[in-house]
Amino acid sequence: MSSPLAPYLPMAVALLVAGVLAILMPGLASLLGPRRPSAIKSMAFEAGSESTGPARQRFAVKFYVIALLFIIFDVEAVFLYPWAVNFQSLGWFGYGEMVVFAATLVVGLIYIWKKGALDWES
């Protein structure tokens, strides 16, 4: 007689192997890896150029606004896929709901565009 947990055995083994490797690989790398510290290796590296200014400098809020707007519109675009998959079964009601949803997105985009939130120069 088999246990009701038997189908989960392969997943448990995979998780166990992943956990062991996650601990084993960095541990072995730190123990066996070469250690040749130098002043050049200790310097901060920024895309191949030397660092200028302090690391804790202030950034304009514009960068965060653009990032948040990208995330908002990206997440809302994800909702289009399930709608497209179920398009035939939803009928005209589903089509109307998506028109309202897309219209809301367009109105929001026009609003932030008029506010100047997408201008890099200002």
Side-chain angles (χ1 to χ4, degrees), residues 68-91:
L68 286 173
L69 290 173
F70 173 76
I71 290 171
I72 288 169
F73 282 103
D74 195 40
V75 167
E76 289 176 347
V78 168
F79 289 121
L80 292 173
Y81 181 74
W83 172 78
V85 169
N86 295 320
F87 178 69
Q88 288 183 340
S89 64
L90 293 174

Side-chain angles (χ1 to χ4, degrees), residues 96-119:
E97 284 184 337
M98 189 49 67
V99 166
V100 170
F101 180 72
T104 306
L105 287 179
V106 169
V107 167
L109 181 61
I110 291 170
Y111 175 76
I112 62 172
W113 202 325
K114 294 286 185 187
K115 285 292 220 179
L118 299 177
D119 287 336

Side-chain angles (χ1 to χ4, degrees), residues 6-64:
Y8 296 105
L9 183 63
M11 185 172 58
V13 170
L15 287 174
L16 181 68
V17 169
V20 167
L21 286 177
I23 293 171
L24 186 70
M25 293 290 193
L28 286 176
S30 67
L31 288 175
L32 303 175
R35 289 184 194 89
R36 295 185 197 99
S38 67
I40 294 175
K41 289 182 183 178
S42 298
M43 288 176 48
F45 180 77
E46 273 187 40
S49 59
E50 292 199 22
S51 301
T52 57
R56 298 284 181 201
Q57 71 183 13
R58 291 179 159 251
F59 286 100
V61 176
K62 178 73 63 183
F63 294 111
Y64 301 110

